Amino acid sequence: MSIEIIDVSKKFDTYEALNNINLSIQPGELTALLGPSGSGKTTLLRIIAGLESADTGGILFDGIDITESSVRSRGIGFVFQHYALFKHMNVFENVAFGLRVKPKKERLSEGEIRHKVEELLNLVQLKFHAKSYPHELSGGQKQRIALVRALAVEPKVLLLDEPFGALDAKVRKELRAWLRRLHDETGVTSLFVTHDQEEALEVADKIVVMNRAKIEQEGTPEEVYAHPASPFVYSFLGEVNLFHGRHPSQEEGVKTITYVRPHDVDIYTEFHENTIPATIIGLRVIGGTVRVELQEIDGHGVEAHISSSRKDQLGLSVGLKCFLAYRNQKHFEKNEFYKDYSI
Amino acid sequence: MSYGGYKETRIIRWSIFISAFIFIGFMVILPLTTVFYFALKNGFTVYIQALTRPESISSIQLTLLVGATALTLNTIFGIAIAWAVSKFDFAYKRLLVALIDLPFTVSPVIAGMVFILLFGSDGFLGEWCINHDIKIVFSTTGIVLATTFVTLPFVARSLISLMTTQGREEEEAAVTLGADFMTTFWKVTLPSVKWALLYGMVLCFARAIGDFGAVSVVAGSMKSVTIEIFELYNEYLSSEAFALASVLTFVALVALGIKKSIEKFHSENGGKNEY
Amino acid sequence: MNRMKIAKRSALPAFGVTFGFGFFYMCLLILIPLAALAAKSIDGGYETFIEAAFSERALAAYKISFSASFFAAFVNAAFGFCIAWVLARYEFFGKNILDALVDMPFALPTAVAGIALTTLYSSNGLLGAPLETMGIKGAFSYFGIVVALIFVGVPFTVRTLVPAIKELPKEIEEAASTLGAKGYQVFWKVIIPTIWIAWLSGFVLSFARAVGEYGSVVFIAGNLPFQTEIAPLIIVTKLEQYEYIESAAIAVVMLFVSLIFLVLTDFLGKKLGNAGVNR
């Protein structure tokens, strides 16, 4: 199902949560709403779900206006950050809940419900926990149950609010891959909120970067990472080196800032055209990559990420003089920078 | 508020509100109004006269004396037992804490009679009392004992629940810095539990001066305010009875006011102290 | 350091003196007196005890005490839910006053409540007169006992339910509605099952309180044996007639019931505490 968000704004008292948001989501896409806390991403998700109402604007599902529809009639599945499992029900009953509350004429028979819930529990490999209660499960297990509980009613849209936010790093990584697989299998249009750029880049088909109640950029992970539309997106999606006033064709009076990703810094031991002399002041090996801390001749600090084989090849060590070349530089005007830079 | 959570329909909401207010109106507001209405029905002069009768004054004196004694005893006990329970681990601690609550569940009548069975002329220690010329039952001592029994849990409960959640770290820090028990208690523990202590003391005192069941059993010919009210009412002297009752009601209202402001401004208690 | 043996590893001082004093105090005030009560009740032998504790008059009194307490607790559970719901979920004018009034029966001496209720419900009272035209005798009747017991039990359900309703996580209600549940389904299938232990424990507390109540009932009850005589009143009556053994026997029965309530409320309280841990 496609989702169309038209001119949606929302204020909480004086606090502006969403400012004139327009967004369209294609059927079957897995979209990430990415942004720092307070950027409005969760509010947008809750408005799509019908858990919150927009002050202005509307939402269309498959071209039909559902702005005034109740949560129940929207046919969405919602996954909460803290699972929101019913703690007085066991796992089976939690998953069956949505099937059991359907009006009598739409409701499946007890046997069909049983069959369907068991199938879903198989899907998340938790069928042996059917009789367990939520407090007996780990965080990862709870979130998987919350997910299949939402899927049980066969929603047309799956909405996930920071689904992995409450889990520890390792479980989070596992569940990410699992969510991607699940999405590929079910093909249900999905939208998830996250503040973790790695999560968004890894899982989503499309990323919508939000900041201060507005959409900064939308596009595929490659697009937003390689071609950030604003300094905010650039710095929010990965590590950067900043240089002031380095624009090659710098106009008089316009101050610029140049961004370079650490892995776009090349290190040479000999002078080349367009390289800048620097000294290595620190080396840190993290698995296959090496983080090299450097200082340019004018004292400006730079970080470079290179492979460890490259480091050995060059024979880098602390104190060594070398030469740096910057690839894929991105220049932004300074006032633009101050206007938008905020994490 | 979002409308995603549960919201009842308008009709149901109004029914709930109306039921709540009607119930409180009939069960609480009306009886309260009755007390003041009948106390002042025959005018203010009669009201003052009723309160200044020698019997009224002596009953108020007795009740204040009993209330103050029970309060003092139970405060000392409450602090001691709360310290032991919250700062130390020992066997059967849960049982001990449950026992502290016992006077809440025991009928006040039983609270009074146990002292008759112990110290009455026919009681286990009755003969010993007579031989040593100690009068406990049908005396102020008996009333104090019964009242203390009934109000024993208040201070202890209030302090235990707070001091347990506060843990031991601050006291341990004080001890490592060389403080002794009294210093630790006065300078570290007490400042952080003073509102809970006051809370317990207010409830204890309010309950102590209002007790009827326990006191009526052991009082004999002595008259606390509640007994005086009982007797006046049975003699159909209802405006005198209500005049005295209005004094107790006033004290109860003040106690309630203090209790509510402590709950509101010092949420140490988390509003979870009942009784 | 010998006396510190009872307490396990703690660097803090004064366990001995505080524990010793507290324990001594409790023995003196609670344990020894209650032991004396138990001893007195079997002073005349086992058969006398049974005879006294379960005489027809005593049985009738238990029945009145327990049934009236049950009705009162039931009424309080129903209206207490309304009050708790309103206090926990809404902001409205006079909320603080309503909140304070709920606690009034804790603070108001039972004797005062007794004379006020009796005056209100007697045949020429404000509520008693209209009741009488409807054929209900307000004061000096079983009805009166229930009224007094309702009064003393008002705060319990409210005080246990308000925190439970407040702590209901908003997300579980939202989750239920995203799964398609209608309002009444959210209420019965999600809200009630989550708070029913708190509700039950409020019911038990007000029931327990009502069973032991004496002060307010003695005014309004009429106190006729077999009709409007509650168990605590028999204890007092027998005591005044110097029938100590009979009196003690009935008191022991009541004490035993109190202990059951104490265990039950402790158990429910523990369940309540656990319920909050896992969301």
Side-chain angles (χ1 to χ4, degrees):
Chain A
M1 192 172 65
S2 71
I3 305 172
E4 205 78 42
I5 295 151
I6 303 160
D7 295 337
V8 164
S9 296
K10 173 82 179 173
K11 266 187 180 177
F12 293 107
D13 294 327
T14 55
Y15 175 73
E16 189 170 52
L18 293 174
N19 181 3
N20 209 22
I21 299 290
N22 283 284
L23 181 66
S24 67
I25 287 156
Q26 301 310 309
E29 257 182 356
L30 176 53
T31 307
L33 285 175
L34 175 66
S37 61
S39 59
K41 54 195 193 308
T42 294
T43 307
L44 182 58
L45 194 78
R46 288 172 63 86
I47 287 176
I48 297 171
L51 293 169
E52 214 87 59
S53 56
D55 296 340
T56 59
I59 314 276
L60 309 184
F61 279 4
D62 269 343
I64 299 159
D65 187 352
I66 49 97
T67 316
E68 298 297 321
S69 308
S70 70
V71 182
R72 248 180 332 113
S73 56
R74 290 189 187 202
I76 51 119
F78 200 100
V79 177
F80 295 82
Q81 181 176 5
H82 297 286
Y83 332 120
L85 293 177
F86 306 127
K87 53 178 180 260
H88 62 281
M89 295 180 195
N90 63 26
V91 163
F92 184 95
E93 287 304 319
N94 261 287
V95 178
F97 182 88
L99 302 170
R100 292 202 199 284
V101 296
K102 278 193 174 25
K104 257 222 167 73
K105 46 185 188 298
E106 294 171 35
R107 201 185 304 158
L108 300 173
S109 72
E110 188 55 39
E112 286 167 317
I113 290 178
R114 186 154 293 279
H115 181 73
K116 182 157 189 181
V117 173
E118 274 163 10
E119 207 172 291
L120 284 163
L121 289 178
N122 260 334
L123 182 71
V124 292
Q125 290 144 20
L126 283 171
K127 70 172 169 182
F128 297 114
H129 291 84
K131 294 262 177 286
S132 307
Y133 281 83
H135 67 92
E136 297 164 316
L137 302 177
S138 70
Q141 289 171 326
K142 279 188 220 175
Q143 197 54 295
R144 279 187 280 162
I145 295 300
L147 230 152
V148 289
R149 181 178 70 176
L151 288 175
V153 290
E154 295 177 8
K156 291 172 283 177
V157 182
L158 186 61
L159 306 168
L160 306 101
D161 183 10
E162 298 263 7
F164 312 129
L167 304 170
D168 58 50
K170 189 166 174 294
V171 180
R172 192 152 55 197
K173 241 181 151 60
E174 280 168 23
L175 276 192
R176 263 187 222 162
W178 176 78
L179 174 68
R180 183 66 237 186
R181 279 204 308 280
L182 191 76
H183 178 264
D184 294 342
E185 280 165 33
T186 58
V188 56
T189 312
S190 307
L191 195 56
F192 76 100
V193 157
T194 180
H195 64 261
D196 180 346
Q197 78 279 3
E198 203 183 309
E199 192 165 289
L201 291 169
E202 195 177 308
V203 180
D205 295 322
K206 181 172 152 186
I207 295 178
V208 177
V209 185
M210 293 189 67
N211 183 35
R212 294 192 172 180
K214 282 187 164 166
I215 293 176
E216 292 268 338
Q217 188 177 9
E218 50 182 295
T220 62
E222 294 77 26
E223 276 168 11
V224 291
Y225 188 78
H227 307 290
S230 67
F232 170 78
V233 177
Y234 205 110
S235 50
F236 196 70
L237 283 173
E239 293 171 77
V240 285
N241 289 302
L242 307 181
F243 304 97
H244 295 263
R246 287 266 182 88
H247 200 282
S249 59
Q250 194 168 8
E251 286 172 48
E252 201 59 35
V254 180
K255 298 220 167 126
T256 61
I257 291 180
T258 301
Y259 285 73
V260 179
R261 299 245 186 249
H263 59 78
D264 282 331
V265 177
D266 282 334
I267 303 176
Y268 300 100
T269 42
E270 287 148 29
F271 179 77
H272 285 64
E273 192 100 355
N274 288 331
T275 55
I276 295 159
T279 312
I280 297 176
I281 56 172
L283 281 170
R284 202 174 289 272
V285 183
I286 299 162
T289 24
V290 182
R291 294 178 176 225
V292 190
E293 259 182 81
L294 301 121
Q295 197 165 35
E296 284 184 357
I297 204 94
D298 64 359
H300 193 283
V302 178
E303 185 167 312
H305 294 179
I306 59 170
S307 70
S308 57
S309 55
R310 175 87 181 138
K311 176 207 141 206
D312 295 340
Q313 194 188 335
L314 292 170
L316 300 185
S317 62
V318 173
L320 190 77
K321 299 256 188 296
C322 54
F323 300 90
L324 305 178
Y326 302 132
R327 287 179 279 128
N328 298 326
Q329 298 184 44
K330 187 98 178 149
H331 310 284
F332 294 100
E333 280 183 17
K334 194 160 185 174
N335 47 3
E336 196 182 356
F337 170 84
Y338 278 118
K339 191 174 74 209
D340 284 335
Y341 187 84
S342 69
I343 302 183
Chain B
M1 277 288 274
S2 72
Y3 64 95
Y6 169 75
K7 266 264 151 75
E8 56 276 1
T9 60
R10 229 191 162 84
I11 298 176
I12 295 178
R13 180 156 74 242
W14 277 105
S15 326
I16 294 175
F17 260 89
I18 291 169
S19 317
F21 278 98
I22 288 188
F23 183 70
I24 286 295
F26 275 88
M27 288 316 303
V28 181
I29 299 177
L30 212 50
L32 274 183
T33 327
T34 306
V35 172
F36 289 107
Y37 174 76
F38 281 95
L40 295 164
K41 198 171 77 168
N42 299 325
F44 196 66
T45 355
V46 180
Y47 177 70
I48 294 297
Q49 270 169 9
L51 287 183
T52 46
R53 290 159 58 247
E55 295 92 334
S56 298
I57 289 176
S58 71
S59 75
I60 290 172
Q61 280 169 341
L62 176 65
T63 292
L64 284 178
L65 175 69
V66 170
T69 317
L71 177 64
T72 311
L73 289 173
N74 281 333
T75 302
I76 296 169
F77 161 72
I79 290 171
I81 203 75
W83 177 267
V85 163
S86 63
K87 307 294 172 196
F88 299 88
D89 293 314
F90 51 88
Y92 302 111
K93 186 156 110 176
R94 259 180 67 83
L95 185 68
L96 184 82
V97 175
L99 269 181
I100 296 173
D101 274 356
L102 196 61
F104 277 151
T105 33
V106 171
S107 179
V109 169
I110 296 176
M113 79 178 288
V114 288
F115 295 104
I116 295 191
L117 297 182
L118 264 185
F119 302 113
S121 53
D122 209 20
F124 292 99
L125 300 173
E127 217 159 298
W128 182 83
C129 283
I130 293 167
N131 290 341
H132 290 79
D133 204 21
I134 299 169
K135 197 163 158 61
I136 291 178
V137 174
F138 309 132
S139 77
T140 313
T141 320
I143 299 177
V144 166
L145 279 176
T147 307
T148 310
F149 180 106
V150 172
T151 55
L152 181 135
F154 289 101
V155 177
R157 245 182 97 96
S158 177
L159 283 181
I160 287 172
S161 70
L162 177 64
M163 283 166 68
T164 306
T165 54
Q166 284 188 340
R168 303 166 192 180
E169 275 184 18
E170 286 182 41
E171 283 82 4
E172 281 166 356
V175 170
T176 58
L177 293 169
D180 60 8
F181 169 65
M182 285 317 262
T183 322
T184 309
F185 181 77
W186 281 108
K187 301 226 154 154
V188 178
T189 310
L190 190 63
S192 60
V193 301
K194 57 178 185 288
W195 293 109
L197 178 64
L198 179 66
Y199 187 96
M201 287 171 72
V202 167
L203 295 185
C204 176
F205 186 72
R207 181 79 178 76
I209 62 165
D211 182 68
F212 175 67
V215 170
S216 68
V217 174
V218 288
S221 61
M222 307 208 47
K223 289 191 181 70
S224 72
V225 176
T226 49
I227 295 171
E228 184 71 17
I229 291 172
F230 177 74
E231 298 200 341
L232 288 169
Y233 192 75
N234 282 347
E235 288 159 22
Y236 301 101
L237 295 166
S238 83
S239 41
E240 281 83 353
F242 276 111
L244 269 180
S246 74
V247 175
L248 290 184
T249 309
F250 183 72
V251 176
L253 284 170
V254 172
L256 205 60
I258 299 175
K259 174 176 182 273
K260 284 288 152 195
S261 19
I262 294 176
E263 279 171 0
K264 194 158 181 174
F265 298 109
H266 309 275
S267 48
E268 302 168 337
N269 273 297
K272 282 196 172 169
N273 253 291
E274 306 104 19
Y275 304 99
Chain C
M1 286 317 242
N2 226 353
R3 69 203 159 90
M4 293 293 282
K5 256 185 187 165
I6 327 169
K8 282 174 264 177
R9 56 195 157 77
S10 178
L12 298 174
F15 174 74
V17 61
T18 54
F19 178 82
F21 172 72
F23 190 68
F24 171 75
Y25 187 87
M26 282 171 72
C27 285
L28 214 63
L29 267 169
I30 303 180
L31 295 178
I32 293 172
L34 290 181
L37 171 69
K40 192 71 184 181
S41 71
I42 50 169
D43 219 16
Y46 177 71
E47 265 159 37
T48 326
F49 172 80
I50 294 292
E51 225 170 87
F54 302 105
S55 68
E56 258 177 71
R57 186 173 163 193
L59 286 175
Y62 297 143
K63 207 177 134 195
I64 291 162
S65 268
F66 291 123
S67 67
S69 299
F70 183 85
F71 286 133
F74 188 80
V75 170
N76 276 326
F79 285 97
F81 182 88
C82 295
I83 299 169
W85 187 262
V86 161
L87 285 178
R89 290 253 159 156
Y90 294 99
E91 292 302 322
F92 52 91
F93 177 75
K95 179 173 168 170
N96 284 332
I97 297 174
L98 179 68
D99 190 44
L101 283 172
V102 167
D103 281 347
M104 200 58 213
F106 279 153
L108 195 71
T110 50
V112 175
I115 62 168
L117 290 171
T118 311
T119 307
L120 271 174
Y121 283 89
S122 64
S123 52
N124 53 2
L126 188 62
L127 298 174
L131 279 173
E132 196 127 295
T133 59
M134 290 157 61
I136 301 167
K137 196 165 162 9
F140 315 118
S141 68
Y142 184 77
F143 181 88
I145 299 176
V146 177
V147 167
L149 295 181
I150 291 173
F151 177 85
V152 297
V154 167
F156 293 94
T157 319
V158 181
R159 289 291 157 243
T160 53
L161 267 181
V162 167
I165 295 174
K166 275 189 177 162
E167 278 165 26
L168 273 173
K170 193 174 94 181
E171 300 99 74
I172 69 158
E173 293 169 38
E174 289 179 347
S177 48
T178 62
L179 292 167
K182 295 197 184 73
Y184 71 90
Q185 287 172 320
V186 178
F187 184 77
W188 289 109
K189 289 185 174 239
V190 176
I191 296 180
I192 294 297
T194 316
I195 60 172
W196 80 277
I197 291 179
W199 203 354
L200 182 66
S201 90
F203 177 87
V204 171
L205 284 170
S206 79
F207 187 61
R209 171 72 214 267
V211 165
E213 176 58 16
Y214 172 76
S216 56
V217 178
V218 77
F219 290 91
I220 203 170
N223 308 329
L224 291 172
F226 297 101
Q227 287 174 33
T228 53
E229 186 180 52
I230 55 165
L233 183 68
I234 298 201
I235 297 175
V236 176
T237 315
K238 296 270 177 196
L239 209 57
E240 279 167 358
Q241 293 161 356
Y242 300 102
E243 294 175 20
Y244 287 169
I245 292 173
E246 287 85 343
S247 173
I250 295 167
V252 163
V253 173
M254 297 302 285
L255 188 64
F256 182 70
V257 173
S258 304
L259 286 175
I260 292 175
F261 282 133
L262 197 65
V263 172
L264 195 59
T265 48
D266 193 56
F267 170 73
L268 286 173
K270 243 181 36 196
K271 269 202 103 159
L272 260 181
N274 286 344
V277 176
N278 297 293
R279 286 252 169 104

